[in-house]
């Protein structure tokens, strides 16, 4: 789900898609989505603001290879 940041052209401070939208997008359970979101928060990529959802805190390392 870190690819969502690049695919949606998100920048630091932008709102990350909601759990409901991610469940629909990936066809996954809310439990699975929450587990991955928790990992992304633990890795410092996302931050949660109560009542406002998640925002991008940092950009993931590029996986592009020359």
């Amino acid at each position: 789900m870190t690819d969502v940041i690049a695919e949606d052209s998100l920048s630091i401070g932008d709102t990350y898609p909601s759990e409901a939208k991610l469940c629909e997008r990936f066809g996954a359970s809310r439990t699975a989505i929450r587990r991955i979101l928790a990992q992304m928060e633990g890795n410092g990529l996302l931050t949660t603001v109560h009542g406002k959802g998640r925002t991008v805190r940092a950009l993931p390392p590029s996986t592009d290879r020359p």
Side-chain angles (χ1 to χ4, degrees):
M1 286 191 338
T2 58
D3 291 342
V4 168
I5 295 172
E7 290 170 3
D8 292 1
S9 300
L10 299 176
S11 298
I12 294 172
D14 287 347
T15 302
Y16 195 78
S18 68
E19 290 178 8
K21 288 185 181 184
L22 292 168
C23 288
E24 183 179 318
R25 184 171 178 172
F26 292 103
S29 70
R30 191 166 286 240
T31 302
I33 295 296
R34 284 181 177 169
R35 186 177 307 128
I36 295 168
L37 290 171
Q39 289 175 341
M40 291 175 71
E41 288 175 3
N43 290 334
L45 296 176
L46 300 177
T47 189
T48 301
V49 178
H50 184 71
K52 295 191 179 198
R54 291 177 178 85
T55 58
V56 177
R57 183 174 177 195
L59 300 177
S62 177
T63 58
D64 294 336
R65 302 280 182 212

